[in-house]
């Protein structure tokens, strides 16, 4: 172990850690606003990466069909409720967003020469296909049971995760894919070889974190989400719709997940079931932050990445054991430090 | 009334038919999903091509998926032996799964033919493993092939990285024994997980040991990750992989980073390139023709061929067992076990099988060739 190896491992750890940090932030955000422990977060990573991979190979990604089916389901439910409430004016908007949009997207994907498009457009198309599934998922899966206890929401999350993994196998097959890197650049920094993709990952994570901070600090919607996180009932009395807050949160979580997937798919082979483990490591970070503090969660996630890199060097056979054992001292320390609060049910 | 009579007649006929044609039940548990799916899918496809009738007996295949998960594999074999009362169990795809299934096969006294590679599945043949056979070549045979190739090419030191599970562990032990006997030193010994997204730490350690060649013991596409990381760090030397990567998806995922890689493989992988006097060529080509007719040219993989070979063994053993007992009985299962133990010189896709009471694999050196990846294709290495 010399300085050179330590630097390389540190770089590796920070690269993976920034992805875990993004996921940790998404997990904290979703939990704060909706009390859902969002286990399918990792699936959005895999869906994003594999949807992009399918486009790079010139196929229409199968995920667009899921978007259409989910959209129709949402349109039927929302449309029926609007109709029952006599709000027929809302129908065109509901059908436009949930049915017309996915169909137009499908048409566009079928028309465009997917494989020849520049990577930036492919990434944009990936976002357009996968991210809307977040709010739809909230509408279909979580909104009907929004007031349920945390445990019920967790069980539903597990179910959603298993369903998405199964669908992933159907959509993408059992094999993994890699996508071309955003930049082929390589920089020699002393002993370190820094690839352009690494810089992309770290910078994109920082930009996203900064953007989220701005969003929550400066915009009305961001403040509404914060208000909901602090006190759901109070926020509701102030005219903030919990359903809208939930959808917006899931939109952000899906956006973060898909972006993470797109960022790491050039670095490693992504399989249909890779997302879970990546999400789980983000979750370890989120736990370090007590599912409440954004900066501690992000720092914790980077710590997880670093720990993983260094333990893969010292004791590669025990790497996963070391990473997940980290949770135990953290939980012990947190339980000693905090006064135990009965869950308000 | 009429309808009722018709129904009764049909039912009666059905029973009569099943009584006249006792069928042989073959239980299959295969990893068609999960990390080992790239091995399991061709195996599952192959089951559909296996003999539907042997010696006048209908063969009924009951196929279950174990999702590459050990617990599920054990659940599956329990279900197959206790509920379906199968005469023989085939599978599972991976070594950890197969090792876990041995206990159930032995206690229910059901013969089992595994499609996984670890030699510990059938060695040593003891009270439990009496019931267990396997078709893939032993790690020891393949290790011998690799070590032979290394000594011929002046490799003295090797860096080893393998899966952190039974596969990697088994390979390490086998390889170490044979390599050290031939004076090759293992200077670095690392592990990684099938699901890992980064192996930087392990690769740094391997590179720091400065070996003459790297040996990666992994199966399927996850084995591409260490090789890609090595190339990324500027490794220019020889890389050896195991026969666990011999499928086209591995070539696709690994791309140009795997150019020049050496691996041992069953002859079926390069059957067309084999000389005509090779004893395995015809039986291997037979499987390839069958599989490609169903799934398209170039779709064949060595893993499906392991499943095919278990069908070939049944084809050889079932007629013998039928002389002694009726399918569906404990006697038949015991007779089938004895018959499997006595197959001699049976040509299959991966080699020539000759079992014995101490050898439940029955393959010899005719079951392996060295292959090199050249221009994204498998080439028989001379």
């Amino acid at each position: 172990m010399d300085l050179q190896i330590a630097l390389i491992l540190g770089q590796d750890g920070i690269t993976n850690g920034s992805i875990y940090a993004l996921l940790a932030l998404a997990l904290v955000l979703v939990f704060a606003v909706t009390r859902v422990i969002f286990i399918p977060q990792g699936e959005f990573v895999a869906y994003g990466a594999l949807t992009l991979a399918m486009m790079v190979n010139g196929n229409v990604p199968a995920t667009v069909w899921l978007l259409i089916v989910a959209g129709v389901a949402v349109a039927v439910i929302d449309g029926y409720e609007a109709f029952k409430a006599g709000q027929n004016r809302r129908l065109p908007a509901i059908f436009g967003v949930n049915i017309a949009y996915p169909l137009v997207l499908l048409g566009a994907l079928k028309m465009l020469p997917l494989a020849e498009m520049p990577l930036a457009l492919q990434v944009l198309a990936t976002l357009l296909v996968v991210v809307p599934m977040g709010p739809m998922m909230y509408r279909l899966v979580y909104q009907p049971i929004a007031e349920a206890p945390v445990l019920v929401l967790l069980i539903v999350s597990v179910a959603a995760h298993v369903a998405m993994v199964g669908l992933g196998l159907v959509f993408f097959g059992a094999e993994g894919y890699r996508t071309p890197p955003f930049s082929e650049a390589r920089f020699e920094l002393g002993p370190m070889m820094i690839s352009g993709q690494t810089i992309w990952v770290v910078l994109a994570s920082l930009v996203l974190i900064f953007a989220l901070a701005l969003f929550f600090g400066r915009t009305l919607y961001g403040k509404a989400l914060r208000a909901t996180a602090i006190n759901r009932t109070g926020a509701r009395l102030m005219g903030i719709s919990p359903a809208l807050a939930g959808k917006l949160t899931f939109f952000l979580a899906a956006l973060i997940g898909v972006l993470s997937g797109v960022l790491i798919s050039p670095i490693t082979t992504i399989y249909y079931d890779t997302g879970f483990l990546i999400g789980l490591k983000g979750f370890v970070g989120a736990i370090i932050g007590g599912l409440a503090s954004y900066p501690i969660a992000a720092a914790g996630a980077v710590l997880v990445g670093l720990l993983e890199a260094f333990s893969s060097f010292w004791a590669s056979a025990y790497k996963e054991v070391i990473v997940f054992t980290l949770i135990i001292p953290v939980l012990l320390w947190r339980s000693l430090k905090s006064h135990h609060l009965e869950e308000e049910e | 009334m009429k309808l009722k009579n018709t129904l009764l007649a049909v039912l009666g006929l059905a029973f009569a038919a099943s009584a006249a044609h006792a069928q042989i039940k073959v239980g299959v548990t295969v990893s068609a999903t999960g990390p080992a799916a790239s091995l399991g899918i061709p195996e599952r496809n192959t089951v559909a091509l296996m003999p539907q009738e042997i010696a006048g007996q209908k063969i009924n295949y009951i196929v279950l998926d174990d999702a590459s998960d050990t617990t599920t594999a054990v659940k599956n074999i329990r279900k197959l032996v206790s509920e379906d009362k199968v005469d023989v169990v085939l599978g599972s795809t991976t070594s950890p799964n197969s090792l876990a299934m041995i206990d159930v096969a032995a206690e229910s006294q059901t013969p089992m033919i595994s499609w996984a590679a670890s030699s510990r599945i059938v060695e040593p043949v003891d009270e439990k493993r009496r019931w267990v056979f396997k078709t893939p070549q032993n790690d020891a045979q393949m290790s011998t092939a690799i070590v032979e190739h290394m000594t011929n090419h002046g490799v003295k030191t090797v860096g080893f990285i393998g899966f952190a599970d039974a596969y990697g562990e088994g390979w390490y032990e086998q390889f170490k024994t044979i390599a050290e006997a031939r004076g090759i030193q293992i200077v670095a010994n690392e592990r990684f997980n099938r699901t890992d997204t980064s192996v930087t730490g392990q690769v740094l350690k391997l590179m720091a040991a400065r070996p003459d060649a790297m040996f990666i013991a992994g199966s399927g596409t996850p084995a591409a990750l260490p090789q890609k990381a090595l190339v990324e760090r500027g490794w220019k030397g020889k890389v050896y992989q195991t026969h666990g990567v011999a499928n086209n998806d591995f070539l696709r995922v690994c791309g140009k980073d795997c150019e020049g890689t050496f691996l041992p493989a069953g002859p079926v992988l390069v059957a067309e390139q084999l000389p005509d006097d090779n004893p395995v060529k015809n039986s291997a080509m037979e499987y390839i023709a069958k599989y490609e007719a169903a799934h398209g040219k170039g779709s064949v993989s060595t893993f499906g061929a392991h499943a095919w070979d278990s069908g070939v063994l049944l084809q050889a053993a079932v007629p013998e067992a039928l002389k002694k007992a009726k399918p569906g009985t404990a006697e038949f299962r015991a007779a089938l076990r004895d018959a499997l133990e006595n197959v001699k010189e049976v040509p299959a896709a991966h080699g020539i099988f000759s079992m014995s009471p101490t050898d439940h694999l029955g393959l010899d050196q005719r079951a392996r060739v060295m292959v090199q990846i050249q221009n994204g294709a498998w080439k028989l290495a001379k």
Side-chain angles (χ1 to χ4, degrees), chain A residues 5 8-9 11-12 16 20 169 174-178 186 193 267-269 271-274 277-278 281 308-309 312-317 319-320, chain B residues 32-35 37-38 41 164 189-202 204-205 208 221-222 225 228 232-233 247 249 252-253:
Chain A
I5 288 178
I8 296 173
L9 288 177
Q11 176 203 334
D12 187 58
N16 288 326
Y20 300 153
L169 178 64
E175 281 306 334
Y177 290 91
R178 275 185 187 230
R186 286 185 171 277
M193 278 279 287
I267 302 178
T268 179
T269 316
Y271 298 79
Y272 72 99
D273 57 354
T274 306
L277 214 59
I278 300 177
K281 283 167 186 161
E308 195 180 21
S312 77
F313 183 83
W314 290 120
S316 58
K319 189 196 76 174
E320 300 299 41
Chain B
T33 57
S38 64
I41 289 169
N189 170 22
E190 291 297 315
R191 294 284 180 278
F192 73 111
N193 299 301
R194 286 168 200 260
T195 46
D196 274 357
T197 50
S198 160
V199 286
T200 309
Q202 293 93 322
L204 286 175
K205 235 180 165 159
T221 45
L225 181 66
K228 285 186 100 74
E232 210 167 282
R233 291 261 157 242
N247 71 347
D249 283 305
R252 176 180 57 77
V253 168

